[in-house]
């Protein structure tokens, strides 16, 4: 670097002032991946924390975990539940509880005290807690319902004189009771078949909507725990439940079957445990003393919206003073056999609100509101009108040419909400058991002209902590990243769904598999992933095959397609690498083994050609008019099988099963050899051979090459040629990809790993069709299901599908350059390796890993040099690799390791650093 540049470099470096040596302490305490979880059903919960210590080189050298019955007892001498003693260890993730047996429905307090790099014991962390749920304790309550009738499918309007159909309306269930004193502690444990909303003395018991979780209710139902202490008082109290269809009873899936998991009616099981100051306990359980009546909800189904008749509301029905003597007694039903488990993930909640940005009137009395953002959720309506005024809302992702909304891409989902006014002042409405994927809302029947204050978009989804941020100098790229995030938000509904709008919204495994790494950078997917993998195991076929989607709902399971079923192996591996937890592997292990045996048993020649019930190929590729694409399905299946075997080998090793690790490694080598002789050709083309009149030719696709490269199936001697062929094909397509769901997920990483960042940037930044930014230029606010979302057949065309959003992985790992070394898990050995390109001036990426926040930012300066700033968290180490021809100026004291492959490499300990890389 010339002297002048060097001087400038030193002048502009914002050297972080050396931090006063803040003593180490633990923060972000979590149990079972959650902060202070209420009601967990785990015998040996896992404890995790992060080390807060801004000193360079901060490291944990030991820890002790204390668990006690009160916060005051959280000292080494007094901890009465568990004292782990000081363990000499840098572990801070998922340490298993090893104290005496935990009691059911009990709160435990805990803390962790850590020892720093100087072997100094730091002050213990602020007390945290966890509370056990029923932990296998029998339920005293009975399942109850209003009647045995199914819920209605068509709203019966009492205005039409039809008052007979009350049994088919979602019911209300209530119980009034008297408490002799204000409780010191009160918990509600509730499970339903159907959805529910719970209130205590008229107040919502928690923020959750769409409770309980969606699972295969034939096998597993989750119950939720609520802290009702502050909602109850001495004297009369009331508990109220509105029961709706939910996933249990709604028409759902392609069969559009209702009650796919079991017969009517929707029903409920509920226990309120009250503890008084004197330690005595009282339990109020669901039984025949509960009273029930039809609600004001006429119909509410996931696809088909809600009709709500406010004239039928029973004011104060869930308050103590309400007189329910004329209500019918609840019906007591037989016990059910499905397992009841505590919900172990964050609830689905309202996570945001959006005010419309535009309104117009395409026809007299019809108004369309544009939220400016495609979301999943519903609209909150405000209206003042005469009793019986019917306001109808219809939801859509797109507009027709005449500026009306169109629901052409929703297939049979009707997505309307209808509110019938009570006629008393200002009224407000939000639906209860339906949600929509939409950007536009059509309003008809509104008395007068609705304004933006009358209609608010409510964003709904499983509320997971956000862990990723990305911003660059390119607004289109920023929008792409936001679109990926919005699409993820729209598709977490206790299950990772494919889309939020049409009659589908299922846990499609291929989509989830390609997107999981991106998803795990964007949000904390730990607990959510474990929950869904249990659904996947519930859906595993008798013969070992994993399904196409989970939870199942058809009753008849089919074996999943290659690239889809493999999610059963790929997602546990991804979760373990990203978050460092091996329990997810242990939970899935035998299921994965059965899957591997299932494939192997029918394919002794190591090409997965037999026993594929379904195939989706490289679904919806850019380069083909066929949904399945042109990539040979045997190539796809064999490539995924080889990948599975490699991952199995790694996971076996992580579980300490060395024999299996070696066996799966052998298996992967056999499959690789078979793959190479079938599909990898000496000229660097990867494809299935096919014969045409000129002789044998390879059926070449970008996806074939991408899968072979990404899964390490190409012999070293041919790697360069395969990358070159892939590059040539991209150039032949004028800088475009031809890939579908499977190939698009890996194409940019494969190019970068092959030394072709230039092509990765070319694809990423391409504006013409088909490309990611083409969608952005067309005004997309979420990622599309199809590359040709704007001009293809609109009928099966979701505008909120995350599969192509898998490009997010490249944005974090390559553009921002936040990655970890191949043998690391949970980012304990961080690799920072940003990529830059002339078309960008700056990039800033943040990833709040399970060990703490990692930041990587680079910025092009006026003199053409690049300023890089990086932070890696306490208790991690790392390295940074910067593209450079000479040693960059470095600040913060990183150790220069040397130049390697055109990169300057520095070793990093925890801390903040900056570098200037000369032009
Ligand atoms: C879903 C997909 C899914 C596919 C399987 C579609 O209907 O929307 O995203 O992976 O079916 O081919």
């Amino acid at each position: 670097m010339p002297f002048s540049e060097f001087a400038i470099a030193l002048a502009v470096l914002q050297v972080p002032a050396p931090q006063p040596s803040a003593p180490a302490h633990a923060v972000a305490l979590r149990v079972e991946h959650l902060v202070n979880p209420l009601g967990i059903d785990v015998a040996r919960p896992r404890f995790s924390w992060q080390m807060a210590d801004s000193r360079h080189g901060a490291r944990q050298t030991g820890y002790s975990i204390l668990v006690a019955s009160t916060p005051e007892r959280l000292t080494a001498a007094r901890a009465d539940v568990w004292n782990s003693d000081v363990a000499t260890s840098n572990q801070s993730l998922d340490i298993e509880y090893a104290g005496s047996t935990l009691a059911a429905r009990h709160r435990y307090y805990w803390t962790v005290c850590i020892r720093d790099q100087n072997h100094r014991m730091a002050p213990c962390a602020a007390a945290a807690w966890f509370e056990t749920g029923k932990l296998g304790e029998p339920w005293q309550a009975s399942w109850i319902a209003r009647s045995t009738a199914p819920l209605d499918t068509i709203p019966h309007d009492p205005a039409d004189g039809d008052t007979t159909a009350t049994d088919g309306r979602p019911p209300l269930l209530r119980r009034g009771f008297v408490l002799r004193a204000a409780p010191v502690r009160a918990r509600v444990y509730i499970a339903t078949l159907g959805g529910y909303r719970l209130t205590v003395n008229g107040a919502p018991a928690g923020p959750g909507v769409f409770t309980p979780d969606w699972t295969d209710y034939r096998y597993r139902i989750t119950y939720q725990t609520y802290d009702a202490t502050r909602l109850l008082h001495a004297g009369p109290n009331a508990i109220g439940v509105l029961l709706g269809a939910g996933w249990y009873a709604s028409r759902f899936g392609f069969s559009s079957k209702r009650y796919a998991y079991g017969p009517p009616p929707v029903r409920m099981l509920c226990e309120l445990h009250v503890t008084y100051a004197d330690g005595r306990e009282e339990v109020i359980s669901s039984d025949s003393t509960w009273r029930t009546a039809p609600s004001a909800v006429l119909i509410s189904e996931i696809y088909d919206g809600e009709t709500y008749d406010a004239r039928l509301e029973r004011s104060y029905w869930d308050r103590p003073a309400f007189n329910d003597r004329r209500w019918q007694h609840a019906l007591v039903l037989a016990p059910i056999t499905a397992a009841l488990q505590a919900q172990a993930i964050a609830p689905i909640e309202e996570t945001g609100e959006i005010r419309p940005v535009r309104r117009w009137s395409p026809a007299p009395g019809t108004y369309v509101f544009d939220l400016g953002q495609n979301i999943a959720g519903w609209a909150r309506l405000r209206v003042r009108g005469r009793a019986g005024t019917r306001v109808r809302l219809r939801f859509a992702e797109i507009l027709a040419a005449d500026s009306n909304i169109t629901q052409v891409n929703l297939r049979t989902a009707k997505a309307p909400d209808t509110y019938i006014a009570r006629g008393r002042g200002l009224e407000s409405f939000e639906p209860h058991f339906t949600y929509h994927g939409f950007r536009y809302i059509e309003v008809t029947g509104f008395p007068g002209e609705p304004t933006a204050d009358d209609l608010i978009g409510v964003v709904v989804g499983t509320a997971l902590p956000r862990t990723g941020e990305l911003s660059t100098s390119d607004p289109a790229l920023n929008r792409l990243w936001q679109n990926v995030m919005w699409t993820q938000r729209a598709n977490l509904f206790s299950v990772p769904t494919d889309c939020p709008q049409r009659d589908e919204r299922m846990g499609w495994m291929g989509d989830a598999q390609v997107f999981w790494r991106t998803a795990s950078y964007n949000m904390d997917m730990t607990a959510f992933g474990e929950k869904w993998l249990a659904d996947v195991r519930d859906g595993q076929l008798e013969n070992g095959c994993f399904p196409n989607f989970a939870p199942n709902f058809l009753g008849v399971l089919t074996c999943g397609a290659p690239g889809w079923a493999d999610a059963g192996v790929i997602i546990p591996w991804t979760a373990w690498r990203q978050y460092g937890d091996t329990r997810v592997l242990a939970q899935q292990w035998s299921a994965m083994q059965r899957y591997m045996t299932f494939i192997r048993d029918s394919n002794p020649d190591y090409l997965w050609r037999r026993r594929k019930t379904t195939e989706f190929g490289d679904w919806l590729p850019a380069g083909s008019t066929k949904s399945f694409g042109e990539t040979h399905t045997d190539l796809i299946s064999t490539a995924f099988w080889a990948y599975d075997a490699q991952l199995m080998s790694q996971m076996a090793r992580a579980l300490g099963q060395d024999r299996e690790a070696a066996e799966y490694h052998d298996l992967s080598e056999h499959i690789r050899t078979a793959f190479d002789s079938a599909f990898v050709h000496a000229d660097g083309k990867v494809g299935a051979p096919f014969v045409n009149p000129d002789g044998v030719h390879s059926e070449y696709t970008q996806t074939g090459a991408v899968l072979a490269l990404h899964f390490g199936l190409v012999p070293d001697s041919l790697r360069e040629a395969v990358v070159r062929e892939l590059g040539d094909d991209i150039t032949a397509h004028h800088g475009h990809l031809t890939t579908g769901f499977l190939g698009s997920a890996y194409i940019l990483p494969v190019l970068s790993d092959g030394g072709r960042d230039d092509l990765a940037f070319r694809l990423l930044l391409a504006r013409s069709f088909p490309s990611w930014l083409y969608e952005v230029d067309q005004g997309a606010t979420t990622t599309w299901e199809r590359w040709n979302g704007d001009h293809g057949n609109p009928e099966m065309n979701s505008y909120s599908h995350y599969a192509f959003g898998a490009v997010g992985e490249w944005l974090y790992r390559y553009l921002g350059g936040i990655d970890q070394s191949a043998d690391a898990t949970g980012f304990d050995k961080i690799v920072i390796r940003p990529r830059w390109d002339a078309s960008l001036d700056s990039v800033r990426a943040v990833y709040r890993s399970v060990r703490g926040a990692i930041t990587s930012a680079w910025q092009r300066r006026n003199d053409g040099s690049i300023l890089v700033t990086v932070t890696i968290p306490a208790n991690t180490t790392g390295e940074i690799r910067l593209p450079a021809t000479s040693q960059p100026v470095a600040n913060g004291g990183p150790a220069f390791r040397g130049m390697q492959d055109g990169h300057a490499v520095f070793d990093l300990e925890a801390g903040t650093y900056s570098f200037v890389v000369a032009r």
Side-chain angles (χ1 to χ4, degrees), residues 619-635:
W619 189 241
L620 307 183
S624 170
T625 49
K626 290 189 239 156
S627 296
F628 290 61
E630 314 287 339
T631 309
H632 201 285
T633 52
D634 291 345
L635 182 156

Side-chain angles (χ1 to χ4, degrees), residues 292-312:
T292 172
S295 70
V297 178
L298 302 187
I299 175 185
S300 191
E301 293 231 356
I302 292 177
Y303 295 156
D304 293 335
E306 175 159 324
T307 302
Y308 188 91
D309 189 342
R311 295 169 301 177
L312 302 176

Side-chain angles (χ1 to χ4, degrees), residues 411 498 502 504 508 511 564 616 619 741 785 796 801:
R411 298 200 301 219
D498 58 331
R502 67 175 174 231
E504 193 145 3
W508 278 100
D511 310 39
W564 271 250
F616 300 122
W619 189 241
F741 273 28
E785 175 178 26
M796 185 183 147
H801 238 71

Side-chain angles (χ1 to χ4, degrees), residues 301-374:
E301 293 231 356
I302 292 177
Y303 295 156
D304 293 335
E306 175 159 324
T307 302
Y308 188 91
D309 189 342
R311 295 169 301 177
L312 302 176
E313 271 177 2
R314 296 159 195 265
S315 304
Y316 306 110
W317 70 275
D318 51 1
R319 309 278 169 99
F322 184 80
N323 184 346
D324 61 15
R325 254 174 304 153
R326 301 219 335 249
W327 283 26
Q328 186 180 306
H329 279 282
L331 207 66
V332 173
L333 303 171
I336 54 165
T337 52
L340 283 167
Q341 288 172 1
Q343 170 164 330
I345 59 172
I348 299 173
E349 282 179 32
E350 299 188 0
T351 63
E353 290 186 358
I354 300 189
R355 251 180 91 85
V357 291
R358 256 178 350 128
R359 187 205 73 175
W360 62 93
S361 176
T366 301
Y367 298 89
V368 176
F369 286 79
D370 176 5
L371 295 182
Q373 174 62 52
N374 201 25

Side-chain angles (χ1 to χ4, degrees), residues 801-852:
H801 238 71
Y802 51 53
F804 290 141
V807 66
E809 174 184 342
W810 193 87
L811 299 179
Y812 287 109
R813 287 183 65 209
Y814 293 80
L815 182 64
I818 298 178
D819 202 355
Q820 58 182 335
S821 63
D823 60 341
T825 58
F827 289 78
D828 55 348
K829 277 181 247 158
I830 294 164
V831 176
I832 304 283
R833 186 178 169 186
R835 322 272 162 151
W836 37 74
D837 179 80
S839 43
L840 293 176
D841 291 328
S842 69
V843 170
R844 180 172 184 276
V846 179
Y847 176 51
R848 287 180 283 277
S849 79
V850 280
R851 286 191 161 82

